[in-house]
Amino acid sequence: MWTLLKTAVLAFIVIWLRVTYPRLREDQLQKLSWTLLVPLSLAQIALTGIVKVVIQ
């Protein structure tokens, strides 16, 4: 019963978010990727490398 309740709540939240926010066009997704996601991933890779070097 608990698993079904959690699944229903999660499904409600996902459906609610998809209905509430409009879909992004391809150009908007590409802009988001190049301006936010790529620099964030490169920073995460650099931070991981620094932590690995410092800890060892």
Side-chain angles (χ1 to χ4, degrees), residues 39-52:
L40 187 63
S41 65
L42 292 175
Q44 182 179 7
I45 291 170
L47 180 65
T48 302
I50 292 169
V51 168
K52 290 292 274 186

Side-chain angles (χ1 to χ4, degrees), residues 3-54:
T3 303
L4 289 175
L5 180 64
K6 289 193 296 186
T7 304
V9 168
L10 181 63
F12 175 76
I13 291 171
V14 168
I15 292 170
W16 182 32
L17 288 175
R18 286 189 56 100
V19 170
T20 303
Y21 294 106
R23 290 178 48 189
L24 295 174
R25 298 187 317 258
E26 286 185 34
D27 61 319
Q28 292 170 328
L29 287 172
Q30 288 177 356
K31 182 179 179 185
L32 173 70
S33 175
W34 283 110
T35 58
L36 180 68
L37 298 179
V38 170
L40 187 63
S41 65
L42 292 175
Q44 182 179 7
I45 291 170
L47 180 65
T48 302
I50 292 169
V51 168
K52 290 292 274 186
V53 167
V54 169

